[in-house]
Protein backbone atom coordinates (compact mmCIF):
# COMPACT_ATOMS: atom_id res chain seq x y z
CA UNK A 1 0.00 0.00 0.00
CA UNK A 2 1.53 3.29 -1.14
CA UNK A 3 0.90 6.28 1.10
CA UNK A 4 1.69 9.92 0.44
CA UNK A 5 1.54 12.41 3.29
CA UNK A 6 1.91 16.14 2.62
CA UNK A 7 2.86 18.73 5.19
CA UNK A 8 4.04 22.33 5.34
CA UNK A 9 0.97 24.23 4.23
CA UNK A 10 -0.36 27.25 6.07
CA UNK A 11 -1.22 30.93 5.95
CA UNK A 12 1.37 33.33 4.57
CA UNK A 13 1.39 36.93 3.38
CA UNK A 14 1.91 37.77 -0.26
CA UNK A 15 5.60 37.75 -1.08
CA UNK A 16 6.32 35.15 1.56
CA UNK A 17 7.60 31.59 1.27
CA UNK A 18 6.58 28.09 2.26
CA UNK A 19 8.10 24.66 1.77
CA UNK A 20 5.80 21.72 1.26
CA UNK A 21 6.96 18.17 1.93
CA UNK A 22 5.50 14.88 0.81
CA UNK A 23 6.73 11.67 2.39
CA UNK A 24 6.07 8.44 0.50
CA UNK A 25 5.89 4.98 2.02
CA UNK A 26 5.10 1.54 0.72
CA UNK A 27 7.66 0.95 -2.00
CA UNK A 28 11.08 2.07 -3.15
CA UNK A 29 10.73 5.84 -3.42
CA UNK A 30 13.33 6.15 -6.17
CA UNK A 31 11.09 4.09 -8.47
CA UNK A 32 8.42 6.82 -8.49
CA UNK A 33 7.95 9.78 -10.74
CA UNK A 34 6.63 12.56 -8.52
CA UNK A 35 4.51 15.64 -9.05
CA UNK A 36 2.70 18.47 -7.30
CA UNK A 37 -0.77 19.67 -8.24
CA UNK A 38 -3.08 22.24 -6.74
CA UNK A 39 -6.79 22.87 -6.63
CA UNK A 40 -8.37 26.20 -5.80
CA UNK A 41 -12.02 26.40 -4.71
CA UNK A 42 -14.32 25.93 -7.66
CA UNK A 43 -11.49 25.10 -10.04
CA UNK A 44 -9.99 22.01 -11.61
CA UNK A 45 -6.91 20.41 -10.12
CA UNK A 46 -3.95 21.74 -12.07
CA UNK A 47 -0.34 20.75 -12.61
CA UNK A 48 2.29 22.67 -10.66
CA UNK A 49 5.59 20.79 -10.94
CA UNK A 50 7.04 17.36 -11.69
CA UNK A 51 10.35 15.61 -11.16
CA UNK A 52 11.84 12.45 -12.62
CA UNK A 53 12.91 9.45 -10.57
CA UNK A 54 16.52 10.56 -10.41
CA UNK A 55 15.72 14.26 -10.18
CA UNK A 56 17.45 14.98 -13.45
CA UNK A 57 14.31 16.13 -15.28
CA UNK A 58 12.02 18.84 -13.89
CA UNK A 59 9.02 20.70 -15.27
CA UNK A 60 6.91 23.59 -13.99
CA UNK A 61 3.64 25.22 -14.85
CA UNK A 62 4.20 28.63 -16.42
CA UNK A 63 2.35 30.27 -13.54
CA UNK A 64 4.96 29.15 -11.00
CA UNK A 65 8.14 29.05 -13.08
CA UNK A 66 10.90 31.07 -11.45
CA UNK A 67 9.12 31.12 -8.06
CA UNK A 68 8.66 27.45 -7.14
CA UNK A 69 11.30 24.73 -6.92
CA UNK A 70 10.62 21.01 -6.82
CA UNK A 71 13.23 18.65 -5.42
CA UNK A 72 13.47 15.17 -3.98
CA UNK A 73 15.57 13.34 -1.45
CA UNK A 74 15.49 9.65 -2.29
CA UNK A 75 17.24 8.80 0.97
CA UNK A 76 14.37 10.40 2.92
CA UNK A 77 11.56 9.18 0.65
CA UNK A 78 10.44 12.79 0.33
CA UNK A 79 9.63 15.27 -2.41
CA UNK A 80 9.59 18.99 -1.70
CA UNK A 81 8.03 22.08 -3.19
CA UNK A 82 9.70 25.33 -2.19
CA UNK A 83 7.41 28.24 -2.93
CA UNK A 84 8.79 31.77 -2.99
CA UNK A 85 7.22 35.13 -3.86
CA UNK A 86 3.79 33.72 -3.12
CA UNK A 87 0.76 35.46 -4.57
CA UNK A 88 -2.90 35.36 -3.51
CA UNK A 89 -3.64 33.39 -6.67
CA UNK A 90 -1.41 30.59 -5.34
CA UNK A 91 -4.05 29.91 -2.67
CA UNK A 92 -5.18 26.30 -3.07
CA UNK A 93 -5.01 22.81 -1.69
CA UNK A 94 -1.72 21.30 -2.80
CA UNK A 95 -1.43 17.60 -3.57
CA UNK A 96 1.56 15.43 -4.24
CA UNK A 97 1.24 12.50 -6.60
CA UNK A 98 3.29 9.46 -7.54
CA UNK A 99 3.47 6.98 -10.34
CA UNK A 100 5.82 4.10 -11.06
CA UNK A 101 5.09 4.33 -14.77
CA UNK A 102 5.84 3.15 -17.32
CA UNK A 103 5.97 6.51 -19.02
CA UNK A 104 6.87 7.58 -22.53
CA UNK A 105 8.63 10.63 -21.09
CA UNK A 106 11.10 11.32 -18.26
CA UNK A 107 8.43 13.11 -16.17
CA UNK A 108 4.68 13.07 -15.68
CA UNK A 109 2.85 16.37 -16.10
CA UNK A 110 -0.78 15.27 -16.43
CA UNK A 111 -3.17 14.20 -13.69
CA UNK A 112 -4.07 11.01 -15.52
CA UNK A 113 -0.44 9.87 -15.47
CA UNK A 114 -0.47 9.49 -11.67
CA UNK A 115 -1.65 6.49 -9.69
CA UNK A 116 -1.29 7.65 -6.09
CA UNK A 117 -2.28 10.89 -4.36
CA UNK A 118 -1.83 12.46 -0.98
CA UNK A 119 -4.63 13.98 1.07
CA UNK A 120 -3.56 17.55 0.34
CA UNK A 121 -2.26 20.46 2.37
CA UNK A 122 -3.85 23.88 2.34
CA UNK A 123 -1.94 26.99 1.33
CA UNK A 124 -3.51 30.39 1.86
CA UNK A 125 -1.78 33.55 0.67
CA UNK A 126 -3.18 36.80 2.01
CA UNK A 127 -2.84 40.10 0.16
Amino acid sequence: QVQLVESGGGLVQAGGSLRLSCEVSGRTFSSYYMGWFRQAPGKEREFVAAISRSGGYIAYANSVKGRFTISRDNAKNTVYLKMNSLKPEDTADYYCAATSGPLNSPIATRRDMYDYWGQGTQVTVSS
Side-chain angles (χ1 to χ4, degrees):
Q1 184 76 12
V2 179
Q3 288 189 319
L4 289 73
V5 179
E6 301 100 335
S7 60
L11 173 64
V12 63
Q13 287 188 331
S17 298
L18 283 173
R19 189 179 79 157
L20 306 183
S21 301
C22 173
E23 186 171 358
V24 180
S25 61
R27 226 179 110 174
T28 305
F29 178 67
S30 58
S31 69
Y32 290 116
Y33 303 86
M34 299 297 301
W36 285 96
F37 291 74
R38 67 186 181 185
Q39 187 167 17
K43 294 190 176 181
E44 297 271 324
R45 191 172 298 187
E46 64 176 7
F47 169 74
V48 174
I51 189 166
S52 62
R53 291 181 292 189
S54 67
Y57 290 90
I58 287 174
Y60 297 99
N62 288 334
S63 58
V64 307
K65 203 171 292 183
R67 299 188 298 122
F68 290 12
T69 302
I70 189 172
S71 62
R72 66 189 296 160
D73 186 337
N74 286 349
K76 294 184 178 179
N77 294 353
T78 302
V79 62
Y80 303 97
L81 185 69
K82 181 66 188 303
M83 306 184 294
N84 295 328
S85 302
L86 282 161
K87 305 175 182 180
E89 51 263 43
D90 294 318
T91 295
D93 292 326
Y94 283 72
Y95 299 87
C96 71
T99 180
S100 57
L103 301 180
N104 293 324
S105 61
I107 49 177
T109 57
R110 299 195 318 266
R111 284 170 50 186
D112 63 355
M113 299 171 87
Y114 287 93
D115 302 309
Y116 307 104
W117 294 83
Q119 82 289 350
T121 186
Q122 189 173 56
V123 172
T124 303
V125 184
S126 63
S127 56

